[in-house]
Amino acid sequence: MNRVHLDHNATTPLRPEARAEFLRAVDALGGNPSSVHASGRAARAELDDARERIAAALGVEGEELVFTSGGTEANNTALFGALPPGRPLYISAVEHSSVREVAEALQKEGRDVTILPVDPEGRLDVPATKAALEGRKSGLLSVMGANNELGTVSPFGELRAVLEALPPDSRPLWHADCVQMLGKLPLAPRELSLDLASFSAHKVGGPLGVGVLWCSKTTALSPRLYGGGQESGLRSGTENLPAIAAAAVAIELAVQEQAAYTAKTSSLAKQFWGEIQEALPAARLLGPPIESTERLPNTLCVLLPKADGRVLVPRLDLEGLEVSAGSACSSGSIEPSPVLMALGHNEADARAALRLSLGRETSAADLQIAIKVLRTTCG
Ligand code: PLP
């Protein structure tokens, strides 16, 4: 059976170039980058090189990057570490669980947390955000670059204008979870006037378990992990050097190839959506309309009325089609998507949406197979 993976927002296959770099680094490097002897110094030089390459790809400086275990830890570090004591935290209603659940934990500790509303396509409500920020003491605002389920891209230009118009003592630090945006749309965190941004290597053809937090030099960050003082004291623990070297290759290539990736996946996704509508006339596309440029090019969030992701995802898997529904937790159970619930969908609809996310290697032939499977399984 030809299996088709349309769950690239969950993870992507390791790129051959990243795999080769991982294997080279494993073979070449035996040292701990914090050791002072020759093998340690060789490892340190490689770590510095990977850091500089990622920084150059992101248009930032190497000393502003903190390597973490993934996007989840990068988000946790940003929120716990950059929210000034006693100041408010603002997050959008559709953030990834690694932001949403930090906000819930902080709220339980008595911190002042505001959930900012989104429109029916999942886009941040900018006037409501402006109203929430005005007249308050500056804190930390976390708004994702692009939503992992809906593909909705945040209105960063408008948000930036709102933030810049605020008096300095009301202007919050701005963190963006850019895990899904990297490599899919142009992205320059410093030019956007962000203060912090999170990235994850495995979403762009890099290895699992490597994240990067960019924290601008002027932003104060305190650590969540204490120990040997690695990563300028911001994230103790010996760095996973072979995986970081491989991540650098994947991130560089993702940025270099972004325009080609966007053109290819958006054209395939448009065609695919047309075919889904023919095969399943009741299907509805959630998030921005297909022709919108304010959407991730590779992501289709498709509501199939009366479907139940808990049943459908395993059935599609049996037929060789890998997709996701709702938010898969570590137990593998599928909860109704909190993102769709935040958009006002009821629990049944929040369980009835499939996320189909294309990747760099997805071909028109893969999508023909996918359509056949969808037609026979959901029709
Ligand atoms: N943020 C977003 C938007 C994501 O889609 C994900 C992963 O699904 C994460 C954060 C977490 O990244 P990681 O799997 O590297 O912890």
Side-chain angles (χ1 to χ4, degrees), residues 9 70-72 75 96 98 144 146 148 177 179-180 200 202-203:
N9 286 8
T72 298
N75 284 341
H96 186 261
S98 56
M144 69 202 319
N148 45 305
D177 172 348
V179 164
Q180 292 293 344
S200 175
H202 75 99
K203 308 287 183 180

Side-chain angles (χ1 to χ4, degrees), residues 135-204:
R136 305 285 307 282
K137 279 238 177 326
S138 66
L140 176 68
L141 167 72
S142 186
V143 172
M144 69 202 319
N147 188 271
N148 45 305
E149 291 181 42
L150 297 160
T152 307
V153 173
S154 291
F156 275 180
E158 287 168 53
L159 186 54
R160 177 185 173 176
V162 165
L163 294 180
E164 286 178 351
L166 288 171
D169 62 345
S170 285
R171 188 191 164 236
L173 290 169
W174 183 10
H175 166 252
D177 172 348
C178 292
V179 164
Q180 292 293 344
M181 206 171 180
L182 183 65
K184 295 179 183 156
L185 291 170
L187 179 59
R190 197 187 294 289
E191 282 170 31
L192 283 167
S193 301
L194 294 171
D195 300 295
L196 304 111
S198 304
F199 306 93
S200 175
H202 75 99
K203 308 287 183 180
V204 292

Side-chain angles (χ1 to χ4, degrees), residues 252-273:
E252 269 183 332
L253 288 169
V255 171
Q256 278 164 25
E257 296 173 2
Q258 177 265 316
Y261 169 97
T262 304
K264 178 186 163 184
T265 53
S266 81
S267 134
L268 283 176
K270 280 180 187 149
Q271 198 181 332
F272 188 39
W273 170 236

